[in-house]
Amino acid sequence: WGANGNPALTLYRMEVSTAADLTGTVFSSATVLTTATVSGLTPRTTYYLRVLALNHAGTATTFDATKTTGTLANPPASSYASASSTDTLTLSWSPNGDPAATPFELQLATSSDFGGTVSSSQTVLTTATIAGLALNTTYYLRARAFGLQGEPTTFDVVVATITLAGPPLGAAAIAPSTASVGLTWGAGGNPAGT
């Protein structure tokens, strides 16, 4: 804020609240500077701020106009993946202090650098599932959150996991000999090397 002609060492009081009428003030700070920072606030939350000046006798001016701003979202944490079927993977994470209804994005790719992202999904939950994947294939998954203005956080750690293998198909016995028996089957959609 500007000093508005007040001399150096004028005392200012800033108030911060989650309520537009600043009832239930969560923070109040006095300073002789024309700037103040508040820490320890809830991520991805709208806050209302106002400031007034006090003369050397302690008489307060009216508050300047109330300003509105929001805190950024925290990136998700503790991500882990699981294969729930032959073509479905699920990624779960901690919201890391972000409030309910925070939007998250899950990205899934077949390369660890996400050069060719296969799929992306958005949710307000702390878990996301992507189906229709290839059997017995390694995928890389990561999640991030979005702030009040849609600004993305960094991604949590990249997690690698593998879809389940499909069962073999069409098993048939190979004609036995005097010393051996055999079985043949189809790959059942599994990639080479399964």
Side-chain angles (χ1 to χ4, degrees):
W1 57 84
N4 195 23
N6 289 315
L9 301 179
T10 296
L11 188 62
Y12 299 95
R13 187 175 75 222
M14 181 179 74
E15 295 181 351
V16 179
S17 176
T18 54
D21 62 1
L22 278 96
T23 56
T25 299
V26 273
F27 185 81
S28 180
S29 174
T31 181
V32 294
L33 305 174
T34 56
T35 184
T37 301
V38 180
S39 60
L41 302 177
T42 304
R44 198 175 188 279
T45 301
T46 300
Y47 285 93
Y48 301 88
L49 304 91
R50 64 186 181 183
V51 63
L52 60 72
L54 297 141
N55 70 10
H56 295 301
T59 304
T61 65
T62 58
F63 282 98
D64 190 13
T66 300
K67 303 298 179 188
T68 306
T69 190
T71 51
L72 299 174
N74 282 329
S78 307
S79 294
Y80 62 94
S82 60
S84 39
S85 73
T86 56
D87 71 342
T88 304
L89 294 176
T90 300
L91 186 69
S92 300
W93 56 87
S94 160
N96 197 17
D98 288 329
T102 296
F104 295 95
E105 177 187 31
L106 161 69
Q107 288 186 349
L108 174 140
T110 53
S111 63
S112 61
D113 66 358
F114 287 80
T117 299
V118 173
S119 185
S120 180
S121 171
Q122 288 204 351
T123 181
V124 294
L125 305 175
T126 56
T127 187
T129 299
I130 296 182
L133 304 174
L135 291 85
N136 197 21
T137 301
T138 299
Y139 287 94
Y140 301 88
L141 301 98
R142 63 186 182 180
R144 66 180 173 181
F146 290 91
L148 293 168
Q149 304 301 316
E151 63 281 0
T153 66
T154 57
F155 285 98
D156 190 17
V157 297
V158 173
V159 178
T161 195
I162 303 170
T163 51
L164 301 176
L169 298 176
I174 298 174
S177 68
T178 56
S180 66
V181 294
L183 195 61
T184 183
W185 59 85
N190 290 303
T194 298

